[in-house]
Amino acid sequence: MVGCWARRTRSALGSRRDCCRSPTVWLGSVVTSGSGAAWGGSRRSHPAYGEGVAAIRAAALAIATERGLHAVTLRAVAERAGVSHGLVRHHFGTRDGLISATVAEAASRTMYLEINDEAPLSSRIDRTLGELRVQYSTMLSEPGTEAIDDVYAQYRAEVGQWLDRHGAAADEDTVLLVVAALDGLALQRLSRGDEVDVDGAFAALSRLIRQLGRND
């Protein structure tokens, strides 16, 4: 159904780097204003001029996190965003293009494990639970999706820098091990909630990294 997401991700989004650097470009603030009374009915709110794309992306992500990617259709997103079906098609082309953009946005927002973030790991994960579900379901159903691969490449680079700061080896295998451990903690939080102490586990991981640094 959506096998061509990966091929269309860049064309739907433009620069992947830009979306990671400035997530507000994706969603922004949706400002609505009346566009005149409907024939015999109430006034309908629409995004202000120039904010239609941001409203579409926000609506698509909201639908995906609430109901799953299967619910992301051109018409459903147009209705949620308060724009015309034609505007959604104009900016994203097909449903595959819209889903590609939604997956990329979800993945870009799950950089919750930034090593410099002082917030507890559990709260970082909880901020993006819906986006994580979209990300992991896509990883299972559509392996090799470009948007997610791009996010993980950036994530591996950040983990490598974290290891360097602790004096630990930042070779490819060690970086992969840490990323896998953090992914595992995220999945534990998603599936079991407060039953698992992910904050304690992350503290133990950090101690191990510091110990590796001292040994090296």
Side-chain angles (χ1 to χ4, degrees), residues 71-84:
V72 178
T73 66
L74 298 179
R75 291 194 181 279
V77 170
E79 182 177 352
R80 179 74 171 255
V83 301
S84 69

Side-chain angles (χ1 to χ4, degrees), residues 137-151:
S137 65
T138 303
M139 290 170 67
L140 291 172
S141 63
E142 294 286 334
T145 299
E146 187 175 14
I148 294 178
D149 287 348
D150 286 349
V151 168

Side-chain angles (χ1 to χ4, degrees), residues 23-182:
T24 54
V25 172
W26 276 94
L27 298 181
S29 58
V30 179
V31 180
T32 59
S33 61
S35 59
W39 288 98
S42 60
R43 293 167 65 90
R44 182 183 180 186
S45 294
H46 295 277
Y49 180 78
E51 294 186 348
V53 177
I56 293 168
R57 288 168 174 155
L61 183 61
I63 291 171
T65 56
E66 292 167 9
R67 296 157 52 194
L69 282 170
H70 67 277
V72 178
T73 66
L74 298 179
R75 291 194 181 279
V77 170
E79 182 177 352
R80 179 74 171 255
V83 301
S84 69
H85 175 272
L87 185 65
V88 180
R89 184 172 293 279
H90 171 74
H91 286 293
F92 296 93
T94 64
R95 181 170 180 259
D96 282 340
L98 180 61
I99 290 179
S100 292
T102 306
V103 169
E105 171 60 13
S108 73
R109 292 171 64 85
T110 58
M111 299 295 288
Y112 55 90
L113 296 175
E114 294 176 14
I115 303 303
N116 292 325
D117 194 333
E118 296 298 326
L121 182 64
S122 56
S123 66
R124 290 183 249 165
I125 295 171
D126 290 347
R127 288 199 295 258
T128 55
L129 286 177
E131 289 87 346
L132 279 168
R133 292 188 185 97
V134 172
Q135 174 181 316
Y136 288 133
S137 65
T138 303
M139 290 170 67
L140 291 172
S141 63
E142 294 286 334
T145 299
E146 187 175 14
I148 294 178
D149 287 348
D150 286 349
V151 168
Y152 269 90
Q154 180 183 343
Y155 190 26
R156 287 192 298 271
E158 292 183 1
V159 169
Q161 293 168 10
W162 183 58
L163 291 169
D164 281 335
R165 286 195 296 273
H166 286 84
D171 58 274
E172 184 176 346
D173 291 337
T174 304
V175 168
L176 178 59
L177 177 62
V178 173
V179 170
L182 295 173

